[in-house]
PDB file of all heavy atoms in Angstrom:
ATOM      1  N   LEU A1129       3.444  59.223 -17.165  1.00  0.00           N
ATOM      2  CA  LEU A1129       2.431  59.504 -18.181  1.00  0.00           C
ATOM      3  C   LEU A1129       1.444  60.561 -17.702  1.00  0.00           C
ATOM      4  O   LEU A1129       1.126  61.512 -18.435  1.00  0.00           O
ATOM      5  CB  LEU A1129       1.690  58.214 -18.534  1.00  0.00           C
ATOM      6  CG  LEU A1129       0.573  58.353 -19.562  1.00  0.00           C
ATOM      7  CD1 LEU A1129       1.117  58.834 -20.892  1.00  0.00           C
ATOM      8  CD2 LEU A1129      -0.163  57.017 -19.730  1.00  0.00           C
ATOM      9  N   MET A1130       0.951  60.429 -16.487  1.00  0.00           N
ATOM     10  CA  MET A1130      -0.052  61.359 -15.985  1.00  0.00           C
ATOM     11  C   MET A1130       0.526  62.744 -15.748  1.00  0.00           C
ATOM     12  O   MET A1130      -0.062  63.760 -16.126  1.00  0.00           O
ATOM     13  CB  MET A1130      -0.680  60.808 -14.701  1.00  0.00           C
ATOM     14  CG  MET A1130      -1.493  59.539 -14.917  1.00  0.00           C
ATOM     15  SD  MET A1130      -2.125  58.795 -13.376  1.00  0.00           S
ATOM     16  CE  MET A1130      -3.382  60.003 -12.913  1.00  0.00           C
ATOM     17  N   SER A1131       1.690  62.817 -15.123  1.00  0.00           N
ATOM     18  CA  SER A1131       2.278  64.127 -14.810  1.00  0.00           C
ATOM     19  C   SER A1131       2.732  64.854 -16.070  1.00  0.00           C
ATOM     20  O   SER A1131       2.571  66.083 -16.173  1.00  0.00           O
ATOM     21  CB  SER A1131       3.441  63.970 -13.831  1.00  0.00           C
ATOM     22  OG  SER A1131       4.455  63.146 -14.368  1.00  0.00           O
ATOM     23  N   HIS A1132       3.293  64.122 -17.045  1.00  0.00           N
ATOM     24  CA  HIS A1132       3.704  64.775 -18.295  1.00  0.00           C
ATOM     25  C   HIS A1132       2.492  65.269 -19.085  1.00  0.00           C
ATOM     26  O   HIS A1132       2.548  66.331 -19.712  1.00  0.00           O
ATOM     27  CB  HIS A1132       4.522  63.798 -19.156  1.00  0.00           C
ATOM     28  CG  HIS A1132       5.970  63.742 -18.782  1.00  0.00           C
ATOM     29  ND1 HIS A1132       6.457  62.926 -17.782  1.00  0.00           N
ATOM     30  CD2 HIS A1132       7.055  64.416 -19.273  1.00  0.00           C
ATOM     31  CE1 HIS A1132       7.768  63.083 -17.674  1.00  0.00           C
ATOM     32  NE2 HIS A1132       8.147  63.987 -18.555  1.00  0.00           N
ATOM     33  N   THR A1133       1.401  64.521 -19.043  1.00  0.00           N
ATOM     34  CA  THR A1133       0.186  64.955 -19.737  1.00  0.00           C
ATOM     35  C   THR A1133      -0.385  66.213 -19.096  1.00  0.00           C
ATOM     36  O   THR A1133      -0.795  67.151 -19.792  1.00  0.00           O
ATOM     37  CB  THR A1133      -0.857  63.829 -19.744  1.00  0.00           C
ATOM     38  OG1 THR A1133      -0.292  62.648 -20.342  1.00  0.00           O
ATOM     39  CG2 THR A1133      -2.092  64.245 -20.522  1.00  0.00           C
ATOM     40  N   LEU A1134      -0.407  66.241 -17.767  1.00  0.00           N
ATOM     41  CA  LEU A1134      -0.866  67.448 -17.075  1.00  0.00           C
ATOM     42  C   LEU A1134       0.042  68.630 -17.374  1.00  0.00           C
ATOM     43  O   LEU A1134      -0.428  69.760 -17.592  1.00  0.00           O
ATOM     44  CB  LEU A1134      -0.921  67.200 -15.568  1.00  0.00           C
ATOM     45  CG  LEU A1134      -2.113  66.415 -15.027  1.00  0.00           C
ATOM     46  CD1 LEU A1134      -1.912  66.115 -13.551  1.00  0.00           C
ATOM     47  CD2 LEU A1134      -3.420  67.173 -15.239  1.00  0.00           C
ATOM     48  N   ALA A1135       1.342  68.405 -17.370  1.00  0.00           N
ATOM     49  CA  ALA A1135       2.293  69.493 -17.645  1.00  0.00           C
ATOM     50  C   ALA A1135       2.084  70.058 -19.040  1.00  0.00           C
ATOM     51  O   ALA A1135       2.163  71.278 -19.251  1.00  0.00           O
ATOM     52  CB  ALA A1135       3.721  68.987 -17.479  1.00  0.00           C
ATOM     53  N   LEU A1136       1.809  69.172 -19.994  1.00  0.00           N
ATOM     54  CA  LEU A1136       1.542  69.641 -21.356  1.00  0.00           C
ATOM     55  C   LEU A1136       0.294  70.516 -21.384  1.00  0.00           C
ATOM     56  O   LEU A1136       0.296  71.604 -21.985  1.00  0.00           O
ATOM     57  CB  LEU A1136       1.354  68.445 -22.288  1.00  0.00           C
ATOM     58  CG  LEU A1136       0.960  68.804 -23.727  1.00  0.00           C
ATOM     59  CD1 LEU A1136       2.146  69.395 -24.470  1.00  0.00           C
ATOM     60  CD2 LEU A1136       0.421  67.579 -24.461  1.00  0.00           C
ATOM     61  N   GLY A1137      -0.779  70.059 -20.742  1.00  0.00           N
ATOM     62  CA  GLY A1137      -2.009  70.839 -20.719  1.00  0.00           C
ATOM     63  C   GLY A1137      -1.814  72.194 -20.061  1.00  0.00           C
ATOM     64  O   GLY A1137      -2.284  73.213 -20.574  1.00  0.00           O
ATOM     65  N   ARG A1138      -1.112  72.213 -18.933  1.00  0.00           N
ATOM     66  CA  ARG A1138      -0.874  73.484 -18.232  1.00  0.00           C
ATOM     67  C   ARG A1138      -0.070  74.448 -19.092  1.00  0.00           C
ATOM     68  O   ARG A1138      -0.340  75.649 -19.106  1.00  0.00           O
ATOM     69  CB  ARG A1138      -0.130  73.232 -16.914  1.00  0.00           C
ATOM     70  CG  ARG A1138      -0.886  72.461 -15.871  1.00  0.00           C
ATOM     71  CD  ARG A1138      -0.230  72.621 -14.492  1.00  0.00           C
ATOM     72  NE  ARG A1138       1.213  72.480 -14.559  1.00  0.00           N
ATOM     73  CZ  ARG A1138       1.888  71.352 -14.407  1.00  0.00           C
ATOM     74  NH1 ARG A1138       1.210  70.221 -14.201  1.00  0.00           N
ATOM     75  NH2 ARG A1138       3.203  71.315 -14.456  1.00  0.00           N
ATOM     76  N   SER A1139       0.940  73.930 -19.796  1.00  0.00           N
ATOM     77  CA  SER A1139       1.792  74.810 -20.599  1.00  0.00           C
ATOM     78  C   SER A1139       1.073  75.324 -21.841  1.00  0.00           C
ATOM     79  O   SER A1139       1.259  76.476 -22.243  1.00  0.00           O
ATOM     80  CB  SER A1139       3.074  74.075 -21.001  1.00  0.00           C
ATOM     81  OG  SER A1139       2.786  72.975 -21.861  1.00  0.00           O
ATOM     82  N   MET A1140       0.233  74.473 -22.443  1.00  0.00           N
ATOM     83  CA  MET A1140      -0.457  74.881 -23.666  1.00  0.00           C
ATOM     84  C   MET A1140      -1.669  75.765 -23.382  1.00  0.00           C
ATOM     85  O   MET A1140      -1.915  76.733 -24.101  1.00  0.00           O
ATOM     86  CB  MET A1140      -0.904  73.641 -24.440  1.00  0.00           C
ATOM     87  CG  MET A1140       0.221  72.824 -25.047  1.00  0.00           C
ATOM     88  SD  MET A1140      -0.410  71.451 -26.053  1.00  0.00           S
ATOM     89  CE  MET A1140      -1.218  72.349 -27.394  1.00  0.00           C
ATOM     90  N   ARG A1141      -2.427  75.423 -22.341  1.00  0.00           N
ATOM     91  CA  ARG A1141      -3.648  76.182 -22.012  1.00  0.00           C
ATOM     92  C   ARG A1141      -3.648  76.482 -20.509  1.00  0.00           C
ATOM     93  O   ARG A1141      -4.406  75.894 -19.730  1.00  0.00           O
ATOM     94  CB  ARG A1141      -4.890  75.386 -22.410  1.00  0.00           C
ATOM     95  CG  ARG A1141      -4.970  75.056 -23.899  1.00  0.00           C
ATOM     96  CD  ARG A1141      -5.108  76.303 -24.758  1.00  0.00           C
ATOM     97  NE  ARG A1141      -5.269  75.944 -26.170  1.00  0.00           N
ATOM     98  CZ  ARG A1141      -4.263  75.878 -27.043  1.00  0.00           C
ATOM     99  NH1 ARG A1141      -3.010  76.120 -26.644  1.00  0.00           N
ATOM    100  NH2 ARG A1141      -4.490  75.564 -28.307  1.00  0.00           N
ATOM    101  N   PRO A1142      -2.807  77.419 -20.084  1.00  0.00           N
ATOM    102  CA  PRO A1142      -2.686  77.714 -18.647  1.00  0.00           C
ATOM    103  C   PRO A1142      -3.938  78.324 -18.038  1.00  0.00           C
ATOM    104  O   PRO A1142      -4.085  78.324 -16.819  1.00  0.00           O
ATOM    105  CB  PRO A1142      -1.507  78.687 -18.597  1.00  0.00           C
ATOM    106  CG  PRO A1142      -1.461  79.314 -19.957  1.00  0.00           C
ATOM    107  CD  PRO A1142      -1.898  78.237 -20.902  1.00  0.00           C
ATOM    108  N   ASN A1143      -4.837  78.833 -18.865  1.00  0.00           N
ATOM    109  CA  ASN A1143      -6.060  79.432 -18.327  1.00  0.00           C
ATOM    110  C   ASN A1143      -7.138  78.398 -18.020  1.00  0.00           C
ATOM    111  O   ASN A1143      -8.178  78.745 -17.449  1.00  0.00           O
ATOM    112  CB  ASN A1143      -6.611  80.467 -19.305  1.00  0.00           C
ATOM    113  CG  ASN A1143      -5.731  81.695 -19.382  1.00  0.00           C
ATOM    114  OD1 ASN A1143      -5.061  82.041 -18.424  1.00  0.00           O
ATOM    115  ND2 ASN A1143      -5.707  82.351 -20.525  1.00  0.00           N
ATOM    116  N   TYR A1144      -6.898  77.170 -18.398  1.00  0.00           N
ATOM    117  CA  TYR A1144      -7.818  76.090 -18.026  1.00  0.00           C
ATOM    118  C   TYR A1144      -7.307  75.426 -16.751  1.00  0.00           C
ATOM    119  O   TYR A1144      -6.105  75.389 -16.496  1.00  0.00           O
ATOM    120  CB  TYR A1144      -7.917  75.061 -19.149  1.00  0.00           C
ATOM    121  CG  TYR A1144      -9.017  75.367 -20.146  1.00  0.00           C
ATOM    122  CD1 TYR A1144      -8.905  76.450 -21.008  1.00  0.00           C
ATOM    123  CD2 TYR A1144     -10.172  74.594 -20.209  1.00  0.00           C
ATOM    124  CE1 TYR A1144      -9.910  76.756 -21.918  1.00  0.00           C
ATOM    125  CE2 TYR A1144     -11.179  74.885 -21.114  1.00  0.00           C
ATOM    126  CZ  TYR A1144     -11.050  75.965 -21.961  1.00  0.00           C
ATOM    127  OH  TYR A1144     -12.054  76.261 -22.844  1.00  0.00           O
ATOM    128  N   LEU A1145      -8.231  74.901 -15.964  1.00  0.00           N
ATOM    129  CA  LEU A1145      -7.889  74.215 -14.720  1.00  0.00           C
ATOM    130  C   LEU A1145      -7.817  72.716 -14.994  1.00  0.00           C
ATOM    131  O   LEU A1145      -8.835  72.074 -15.259  1.00  0.00           O
ATOM    132  CB  LEU A1145      -8.935  74.521 -13.644  1.00  0.00           C
ATOM    133  CG  LEU A1145      -9.026  75.991 -13.220  1.00  0.00           C
ATOM    134  CD1 LEU A1145     -10.162  76.192 -12.225  1.00  0.00           C
ATOM    135  CD2 LEU A1145      -7.719  76.464 -12.628  1.00  0.00           C
ATOM    136  N   TRP A1146      -6.608  72.165 -14.918  1.00  0.00           N
ATOM    137  CA  TRP A1146      -6.350  70.789 -15.319  1.00  0.00           C
ATOM    138  C   TRP A1146      -6.333  69.841 -14.119  1.00  0.00           C
ATOM    139  O   TRP A1146      -5.714  70.113 -13.095  1.00  0.00           O
ATOM    140  CB  TRP A1146      -5.005  70.706 -16.043  1.00  0.00           C
ATOM    141  CG  TRP A1146      -5.020  71.346 -17.395  1.00  0.00           C
ATOM    142  CD1 TRP A1146      -4.817  72.669 -17.681  1.00  0.00           C
ATOM    143  CD2 TRP A1146      -5.271  70.699 -18.643  1.00  0.00           C
ATOM    144  NE1 TRP A1146      -4.928  72.883 -19.027  1.00  0.00           N
ATOM    145  CE2 TRP A1146      -5.202  71.696 -19.650  1.00  0.00           C
ATOM    146  CE3 TRP A1146      -5.534  69.382 -19.015  1.00  0.00           C
ATOM    147  CZ2 TRP A1146      -5.392  71.399 -21.002  1.00  0.00           C
ATOM    148  CZ3 TRP A1146      -5.728  69.091 -20.358  1.00  0.00           C
ATOM    149  CH2 TRP A1146      -5.654  70.095 -21.333  1.00  0.00           C
ATOM    150  N   GLY A1147      -7.007  68.706 -14.298  1.00  0.00           N
ATOM    151  CA  GLY A1147      -7.002  67.682 -13.262  1.00  0.00           C
ATOM    152  C   GLY A1147      -7.638  66.405 -13.767  1.00  0.00           C
ATOM    153  O   GLY A1147      -8.213  66.361 -14.865  1.00  0.00           O
ATOM    154  N   PHE A1148      -7.546  65.345 -12.970  1.00  0.00           N
ATOM    155  CA  PHE A1148      -8.113  64.044 -13.313  1.00  0.00           C
ATOM    156  C   PHE A1148      -9.423  63.824 -12.569  1.00  0.00           C
ATOM    157  O   PHE A1148      -9.498  64.029 -11.349  1.00  0.00           O
ATOM    158  CB  PHE A1148      -7.127  62.919 -12.962  1.00  0.00           C
ATOM    159  CG  PHE A1148      -6.037  62.725 -13.982  1.00  0.00           C
ATOM    160  CD1 PHE A1148      -4.856  63.440 -13.891  1.00  0.00           C
ATOM    161  CD2 PHE A1148      -6.205  61.826 -15.024  1.00  0.00           C
ATOM    162  CE1 PHE A1148      -3.847  63.263 -14.826  1.00  0.00           C
ATOM    163  CE2 PHE A1148      -5.202  61.642 -15.966  1.00  0.00           C
ATOM    164  CZ  PHE A1148      -4.011  62.361 -15.874  1.00  0.00           C
ATOM    165  N   TYR A1149     -10.429  63.391 -13.311  1.00  0.00           N
ATOM    166  CA  TYR A1149     -11.700  63.002 -12.697  1.00  0.00           C
ATOM    167  C   TYR A1149     -11.476  61.832 -11.738  1.00  0.00           C
ATOM    168  O   TYR A1149     -10.682  60.929 -11.992  1.00  0.00           O
ATOM    169  CB  TYR A1149     -12.703  62.609 -13.785  1.00  0.00           C
ATOM    170  CG  TYR A1149     -13.928  61.909 -13.266  1.00  0.00           C
ATOM    171  CD1 TYR A1149     -14.833  62.578 -12.461  1.00  0.00           C
ATOM    172  CD2 TYR A1149     -14.178  60.573 -13.576  1.00  0.00           C
ATOM    173  CE1 TYR A1149     -15.960  61.941 -11.968  1.00  0.00           C
ATOM    174  CE2 TYR A1149     -15.301  59.919 -13.101  1.00  0.00           C
ATOM    175  CZ  TYR A1149     -16.188  60.612 -12.295  1.00  0.00           C
ATOM    176  OH  TYR A1149     -17.301  59.971 -11.806  1.00  0.00           O
ATOM    177  N   LEU A1150     -12.165  61.869 -10.601  1.00  0.00           N
ATOM    178  CA  LEU A1150     -12.131  60.851  -9.549  1.00  0.00           C
ATOM    179  C   LEU A1150     -10.932  60.974  -8.612  1.00  0.00           C
ATOM    180  O   LEU A1150     -10.763  60.136  -7.725  1.00  0.00           O
ATOM    181  CB  LEU A1150     -12.153  59.422 -10.121  1.00  0.00           C
ATOM    182  CG  LEU A1150     -13.517  58.868 -10.504  1.00  0.00           C
ATOM    183  CD1 LEU A1150     -13.371  57.459 -11.092  1.00  0.00           C
ATOM    184  CD2 LEU A1150     -14.456  58.825  -9.313  1.00  0.00           C
ATOM    185  N   PHE A1151     -10.138  62.017  -8.785  1.00  0.00           N
ATOM    186  CA  PHE A1151      -8.976  62.195  -7.906  1.00  0.00           C
ATOM    187  C   PHE A1151      -9.133  63.468  -7.085  1.00  0.00           C
ATOM    188  O   PHE A1151      -9.355  64.536  -7.658  1.00  0.00           O
ATOM    189  CB  PHE A1151      -7.685  62.248  -8.731  1.00  0.00           C
ATOM    190  CG  PHE A1151      -7.273  60.919  -9.283  1.00  0.00           C
ATOM    191  CD1 PHE A1151      -7.745  60.486 -10.505  1.00  0.00           C
ATOM    192  CD2 PHE A1151      -6.433  60.095  -8.566  1.00  0.00           C
ATOM    193  CE1 PHE A1151      -7.377  59.249 -11.018  1.00  0.00           C
ATOM    194  CE2 PHE A1151      -6.051  58.858  -9.069  1.00  0.00           C
ATOM    195  CZ  PHE A1151      -6.527  58.432 -10.300  1.00  0.00           C
ATOM    196  N   PRO A1152      -8.991  63.383  -5.761  1.00  0.00           N
ATOM    197  CA  PRO A1152      -8.745  62.147  -5.012  1.00  0.00           C
ATOM    198  C   PRO A1152     -10.038  61.380  -4.743  1.00  0.00           C
ATOM    199  O   PRO A1152     -11.123  61.924  -4.853  1.00  0.00           O
ATOM    200  CB  PRO A1152      -8.153  62.662  -3.704  1.00  0.00           C
ATOM    201  CG  PRO A1152      -8.871  63.957  -3.490  1.00  0.00           C
ATOM    202  CD  PRO A1152      -9.022  64.556  -4.872  1.00  0.00           C
ATOM    203  N   ASN A1153      -9.855  60.118  -4.362  1.00  0.00           N
ATOM    204  CA  ASN A1153     -10.989  59.308  -3.949  1.00  0.00           C
ATOM    205  C   ASN A1153     -10.846  58.985  -2.466  1.00  0.00           C
ATOM    206  O   ASN A1153      -9.737  58.973  -1.927  1.00  0.00           O
ATOM    207  CB  ASN A1153     -11.069  58.017  -4.758  1.00  0.00           C
ATOM    208  CG  ASN A1153     -12.489  57.463  -4.805  1.00  0.00           C
ATOM    209  OD1 ASN A1153     -13.299  57.717  -3.921  1.00  0.00           O
ATOM    210  ND2 ASN A1153     -12.790  56.708  -5.849  1.00  0.00           N
ATOM    211  N   CYS A1154     -11.966  58.749  -1.841  1.00  0.00           N
ATOM    212  CA  CYS A1154     -11.994  58.464  -0.403  1.00  0.00           C
ATOM    213  C   CYS A1154     -12.350  57.005  -0.138  1.00  0.00           C
ATOM    214  O   CYS A1154     -12.033  56.475   0.921  1.00  0.00           O
ATOM    215  CB  CYS A1154     -13.023  59.389   0.255  1.00  0.00           C
ATOM    216  SG  CYS A1154     -13.259  59.210   2.017  1.00  0.00           S
ATOM    217  N   TYR A1155     -12.998  56.369  -1.131  1.00  0.00           N
ATOM    218  CA  TYR A1155     -13.418  54.970  -0.999  1.00  0.00           C
ATOM    219  C   TYR A1155     -14.225  54.740   0.287  1.00  0.00           C
ATOM    220  O   TYR A1155     -14.087  53.721   0.948  1.00  0.00           O
ATOM    221  CB  TYR A1155     -12.207  54.035  -1.046  1.00  0.00           C
ATOM    222  CG  TYR A1155     -11.407  54.178  -2.317  1.00  0.00           C
ATOM    223  CD1 TYR A1155     -10.210  54.884  -2.324  1.00  0.00           C
ATOM    224  CD2 TYR A1155     -11.859  53.634  -3.517  1.00  0.00           C
ATOM    225  CE1 TYR A1155      -9.478  55.035  -3.512  1.00  0.00           C
ATOM    226  CE2 TYR A1155     -11.138  53.778  -4.697  1.00  0.00           C
ATOM    227  CZ  TYR A1155      -9.947  54.477  -4.686  1.00  0.00           C
ATOM    228  OH  TYR A1155      -9.232  54.632  -5.857  1.00  0.00           O
ATOM    229  N   ASN A1156     -15.061  55.725   0.617  1.00  0.00           N
ATOM    230  CA  ASN A1156     -15.841  55.627   1.857  1.00  0.00           C
ATOM    231  C   ASN A1156     -17.201  54.984   1.602  1.00  0.00           C
ATOM    232  O   ASN A1156     -18.250  55.586   1.803  1.00  0.00           O
ATOM    233  CB  ASN A1156     -15.994  57.005   2.515  1.00  0.00           C
ATOM    234  CG  ASN A1156     -16.599  58.036   1.567  1.00  0.00           C
ATOM    235  OD1 ASN A1156     -16.695  57.830   0.362  1.00  0.00           O
ATOM    236  ND2 ASN A1156     -17.003  59.172   2.119  1.00  0.00           N
TER     237      ASN A1156
END
């Protein structure tokens, strides 16, 4: 689900920088 959603965003709007909030986490 996550990788396909990112792939869709990259293909549709490649000029935007796509990623998930809170990733990566360090839990420090």
Side-chain angles (χ1 to χ4, degrees):
L1129 179 62
M1130 294 175 71
S1131 60
H1132 276 86
T1133 304
L1134 282 173
L1136 176 73
R1138 294 196 315 269
S1139 65
M1140 291 185 66
R1141 300 295 184 265
N1143 290 331
Y1144 270 70
L1145 296 176
W1146 290 85
F1148 280 89
Y1149 167 66
L1150 278 178
F1151 287 88
N1153 205 334
C1154 179
Y1155 302 103
N1156 55 347

